[in-house]
Amino acid sequence: MTTLTIVIGGLLIGIVYACIALGFSVSMWACRVTNFAHGHFVLIGAYVAYTMLGLGLPIYSALPFAGLITGILGMVVYRFLVQPFAPSDAGLQIALTLGVAILLENLLALVFGPDPISAGSAWSAATTVVLGEVRLSVSRLIAGGAGIVIIWGTWWLFERNRWGMAIEAAGENVAGAELTGYAGRRVLMLGFGLSTLLAGLAGVLLLPVANVSPYDAVDYTLRSFVVVLVAGQGNLRAILLTGLLVGLLQSGGAYLASTDMATVACYVLLLVALWVRRVRSGVTALGVSER
Amino acid sequence: MSGRSTPGNDFAARSWPMAVLIAAFALLPHLAEGLFSGAIRQILTTAFVFGFVAFAWNILSGYLGYLSLGDHLYFGLSAYLCAYLLSTHGISPFLSVVPAALLAAALAWSLARLVAGLRFRGTIFALVTLAVAEIGRVVITRIPAFKGEAGIYLQLANDPGNFLFTNPLVYYYVALGLLGLGGVLSLGAFHSDWGLQLRALRDEEVAARSLGVRIDLRLSQAAALSAAAFAIAGAFYGMSAFFVTPSTVLTIDIIVTVLIVCVVGGLGRVWGPLYGTLIVAAVQIGLNKVGLSSTTAATWGHMIYGVIIIAAVATGAVLRLPDNAFARLRSALSRPSPR
């Protein structure tokens, strides 16, 4: 494996991480919900794709299906669990979504078994393309390309479409959004559905690229948290860049040391980012600054 | 409701139900020998230890309201340190648990300091503690002296000086004692000025800070206390099992169990962890009696817990309603100090 192969492969998977993190960012900044089960929605997407492949359907048909299922499931979780019981308190939200996460994780393990699954040749029989020195997996190329389209679509939604703006506005101020004629709470539900939909789509893209097991979900949640925290609030370009960086760390670290050391590198990045943020925020005499 | 006038009497009045319960569990092995099988003893012993840490965790995550999801790191770190020092250097865990607990407390303290000044610190604290625990798990698993996935095994011996007993009933009683200690800690903290400040921060953080209560200090203290309790429990757990492996003492299941215990019993309530311990132990004994194969039972057990957590949050068993802690703190501060 040449260095370039690893770098490009890492960047391509980084785009998918950016998609997942984008979803986490939408729920965290726009809907003000800390969704601990975010990674589990990624896995639901992957397992929907796996089931459809098992039924003999092509993998691209899994994209709309997985998106629909994860999106609707997310809206159900938001409408019937988060909104009535933990609308604003971060601790309660984490406890609640942790409950959802444990339920989903073990449901997946019960239905599909605890062992990892993969579908390396889901997109095409030829799994790699060779460009001179560089060997690239077809699945990664497609995952990266589709990821870019998804990110662009989300950018368009939030920057150019009034519904995306409504979601952001409702997160900031529900009453204000309602004054402008939007059903604020329903808009937030849509926003949360969008965040889980992004996770589900990324899950479909991930299945041909990585081994997926029901117990991986927390890694995806934490990884997207790293991206979101390093990138900061609502900055789409920074999310994409940090996603790429995490992808690089992950594949470079896995090549140089091992997968778990690569994950450790990711989390160390998180600690460094926190430390930098703490230094820059200028801690006051009370030990707290609001910005 | 003032715990300041006659602390001694109030303490006795408030703690007697737990004292009765602990006495009942202490007598159980003698009064109901037929009922008290090895499996039940083991489930109860583990449940009591987890009840002990749940009491301490509840102070941080319930009273103060900052969910810590990484405390299993301190559990595992201490279990590993004590087992390693005993097996290779013959150092008694009674000695090594002290630096282990201090190390855990220092780690938790600095992590809390890192987070305390930031916006969205509730979310950040929960996820960062989990990430740090993940770092710790990988690092500890990779330290050659700790033997990776294989773990460290201790000599099966009866050696009271090194906290090794062939009679498992000893561990049962020590665990029960730890549970009682946790209860005393929980009750004492709840009614102290310190605990009042924690609860005031949870209910009205900005207002409490305006009275001079420092969130960074209180968060660090509560986190360190919880970490130290996890370290003590980890040392106990490693010794009582006679072995430590990453999958037994460094798994996320530990913190999830503690969270379940607290949430089911009532997060932020004085006796919440105690109720939770009893309920969780009952569920486990039930699953044990049904006799499913252990992995299937674990999967079903976890699913039940997931539903229980959701139900507990939904029914408001998780106490987050303002219990006037802030108002009482204000009046406590304006009252002339008895000291």
Side-chain angles (χ1 to χ4, degrees), chain A residues 24 28-29 32 34 36 81 85-86 89-96 98-100 102-103 106-107 109-110 215 218-219 221-222 225 229 233 257-261 263-264 267-268 270-271 274-275 277-278 281 283 285-291, chain B residues 65 67 69 111 113-124 126-128 130-132 134-135 137-139 142 205-206 209-210 212-216 252 256 259-260 263 296 298-300 302-303 305-307 309-310 313-315 318 320:
Chain A
F24 195 79
M28 187 157 163
W29 302 131
R32 306 289 157 113
T34 309
F36 197 84
L81 293 176
F85 305 124
D89 184 309
L92 272 189
Q93 285 172 352
I94 292 170
L96 184 71
L98 188 73
V100 174
I102 293 172
L103 188 62
N106 290 285
L107 211 58
L110 213 61
Y215 305 110
V218 175
D219 284 343
T221 305
L222 277 179
F225 177 65
L229 210 77
Q233 180 169 359
S258 68
T259 316
D260 52 356
M261 286 312 270
T263 307
V264 164
Y267 299 157
V268 171
L270 169 68
L271 289 177
L274 275 179
W275 185 74
R277 186 159 291 194
R278 182 185 152 83
S281 68
V283 175
L286 277 175
V288 168
S289 69
E290 286 304 318
R291 288 232 149 242
Chain B
L67 244 58
L69 298 181
L111 199 56
R113 278 317 265 251
L114 179 68
V115 168
L118 302 168
R119 290 177 83 200
F120 302 101
R121 44 189 165 272
T123 301
I124 293 176
L127 291 170
V128 164
L130 181 56
V132 168
E134 197 54 23
I135 296 176
R137 186 185 64 79
V138 173
V139 170
R142 285 180 168 264
E205 185 175 311
V206 176
R209 275 178 21 222
S210 75
V213 182
R214 286 182 55 177
I215 174 67
D216 61 335
I252 191 173
V256 169
L259 182 126
I260 289 164
V263 166
T296 321
T299 309
W300 278 105
H302 280 126
M303 275 175 60
Y305 291 144
V307 173
I309 292 179
I310 296 168
V313 175
T315 53
V318 180
R320 276 308 167 85

Side-chain angles (χ1 to χ4, degrees), chain B residues 149-335:
Chain B
E149 298 289 339
I152 301 173
Y153 284 75
L154 299 169
Q155 212 102 54
L156 205 67
N158 202 28
D159 187 358
N162 288 331
F163 199 64
L164 296 174
F165 302 95
T166 40
N167 178 8
L169 214 52
V170 178
Y171 293 117
Y172 174 82
Y173 281 115
V174 175
L176 192 59
L178 282 177
L179 183 70
L181 178 70
V184 170
L185 195 72
S186 178
L187 184 61
F190 192 85
H191 294 288
S192 70
D193 282 359
W194 184 73
L196 200 54
Q197 291 184 2
L198 296 188
R199 289 182 292 138
L201 282 169
R202 179 193 67 201
D203 294 341
E204 302 277 349
E205 185 175 311
V206 176
R209 275 178 21 222
S210 75
L211 295 179
V213 182
R214 286 182 55 177
I215 174 67
D216 61 335
L217 208 57
R218 294 292 169 262
L219 179 59
S220 307
Q221 289 167 343
L225 180 72
S226 174
F230 271 85
I232 293 169
F236 170 90
Y237 190 88
M239 291 300 137
S240 67
F242 285 86
F243 70 91
V244 292
T245 63
S247 56
T248 55
V249 298
L250 275 168
T251 152
I252 191 173
D253 285 355
I254 294 170
I255 197 69
V256 169
T257 308
V258 170
L259 182 126
I260 289 164
V261 163
C262 288
V263 166
V264 167
L267 191 63
R269 290 186 169 148
V270 181
W271 300 119
L274 186 66
Y275 302 141
T277 301
L278 297 179
I279 294 170
V280 167
V283 169
Q284 276 175 343
I285 290 173
L287 281 173
N288 182 266
K289 289 272 181 240
V290 173
L292 289 167
S293 86
S294 62
T295 41
T296 321
T299 309
W300 278 105
H302 280 126
M303 275 175 60
I304 293 172
Y305 291 144
V307 173
I308 290 177
I309 292 179
I310 296 168
V313 175
T315 53
V318 180
L319 187 74
R320 276 308 167 85
L321 302 168
D323 57 353
N324 284 328
F326 173 66
R328 269 183 286 136
L329 175 70
R330 197 167 45 192
S331 64
L333 286 176
S334 57
R335 210 180 307 151

